[in-house]
Amino acid sequence: MTGVTDTTLNLWKQQLGRVPDGLWDRTDLTVLILADTGITELPPGIGRLTALRTLDLGHNRLAALPAELGSLTGLGDFLYVHDNALTVLPDTLGRLAALRYLNVGENLLTELPATIGEMASLIELRAQHNRLGTLPESIGRLGALRELWLRGNELTALPESVAGLTELRELELRENALTEIPAALAGLPLLRRLDLRGNRITELPRWLTEPGESAGLPGLPGSPVPPAFPALEKLDLRWNEVRPSPQVLAALAARGCVVLY
């Protein structure tokens, strides 16, 4: 359905093939939906639409995004670029410091730009089903982030900086190549759900139920070290070669955490 309502332009499922040239004159637009339109290129003219708050480019055939995307500093709501053929994201993405939701899933990305740490307002980041082998250290600067979705990548570890994600509530690491639970996550005060299904984890660390056991959890001299994952409600370990001991299960259950394995 094509729709124009005030400053919204919805071209969803209109098989355009290319972005109409006249679109760049619509500098009043706050919402632009170009999802599933068959476009293969996003021209630099996108940088003129500085009033945009939401941009949907999902379900297309884009192989690259122009650097001019970083000019959309008013983009404060949603940016969807999922289900394309992107192999890299522009460094200028870091200029979108007001953006709250970013979906770059279902692409061919092998890394996220280091500038992603400058996107200080991000609440939800989706990068599932790519080819990510690592995450940039700067990701730990996303202090407002509440949800991080990384299913179906090639991660073998997480950077120590993820300890800075103090607002994180939900972390999906399903179908990666992790061999252990990343210790840097242990002290996150609000993390409620940790999905580790389909990794290569064979045992659980002692620090999971024994405070102070090499997880690097902060504590003042002479004060008790807080338990790992103090707010965790669900730990999903299915499809790993791990069998938690009854003692570990009981200890986590006593803290209100359900473990699936």
Side-chain angles (χ1 to χ4, degrees):
M1 178 182 294
T2 302
V4 181
T5 306
D6 297 324
T7 57
T8 295
L9 177 58
N10 183 359
L11 298 171
W12 179 55
K13 285 189 176 293
Q14 301 301 303
Q15 290 305 301
L16 305 174
R18 62 186 298 273
V19 181
D21 293 334
L23 182 59
W24 313 129
D25 296 327
R26 291 293 313 276
T27 55
D28 61 324
L29 288 176
T30 59
V31 176
L32 175 58
I33 299 173
L34 289 168
D36 205 358
T37 54
I39 60 174
T40 59
E41 181 183 5
L42 185 66
I46 188 67
R48 296 179 57 190
L49 306 186
T50 54
L52 282 180
R53 293 191 58 81
T54 290
L55 176 60
D56 189 349
L57 301 167
H59 301 284
N60 282 299
R61 292 177 287 174
L62 297 170
L65 297 173
E68 287 77 6
L69 197 65
S71 298
L72 306 181
T73 54
L75 207 62
D77 292 332
F78 306 98
L79 174 57
Y80 302 93
V81 294
H82 59 288
D83 196 10
N84 277 283
L86 300 172
T87 58
V88 66
L89 297 173
D91 289 338
T92 54
L93 206 64
R95 298 178 189 170
L96 307 182
L99 190 67
R100 294 185 298 160
Y101 179 101
L102 174 62
N103 190 342
V104 299
E106 290 82 38
N107 279 289
L108 304 172
L109 301 171
T110 57
E111 61 182 6
L112 298 175
T115 55
I116 202 164
E118 299 168 22
M119 303 178 74
S121 298
L122 274 186
I123 293 174
E124 185 169 338
L125 172 58
R126 290 180 174 261
Q128 66 276 14
H129 297 297
N130 277 284
R131 299 174 181 175
L132 301 176
T134 60
L135 297 179
E137 282 289 335
S138 66
I139 201 164
R141 301 208 304 267
L142 298 178
L145 197 67
R146 293 188 175 206
E147 296 185 22
L148 179 55
W149 300 79
L150 294 165
R151 176 180 180 178
N153 281 286
E154 300 170 7
L155 297 170
T156 58
L158 298 183
E160 291 295 320
S161 67
V162 297
L165 301 179
T166 54
E167 288 294 320
L168 199 65
R169 269 79 162 171
E170 185 149 357
L171 176 57
E172 186 190 51
L173 291 165
R174 181 177 178 179
E175 296 165 15
N176 277 278
L178 297 169
T179 58
E180 60 183 7
I181 299 177
L185 300 172
L188 295 184
L190 301 177
L191 188 65
R192 297 173 184 166
R193 178 177 176 269
L194 178 56
D195 189 343
L196 290 163
R197 282 178 284 180
N199 277 274
R200 301 172 186 174
I201 298 170
T202 58
E203 61 181 3
L204 300 183
R206 291 178 60 188
W207 54 255
L208 191 61
T209 55
E210 297 180 22
E213 286 291 341
S214 69
L217 300 180
L220 297 174
S223 64
V225 177
F229 302 121
L232 200 65
E233 298 174 357
K234 182 178 180 181
L235 175 60
D236 201 332
L237 295 166
R238 286 176 288 176
W239 308 309
N240 285 279
E241 295 297 323
V242 61
R243 291 292 180 269
S245 70
Q247 293 81 5
V248 167
L249 294 175
L252 291 173
R255 287 162 40 190
C257 180
V258 173
V259 180
L260 302 178
Y261 63 99

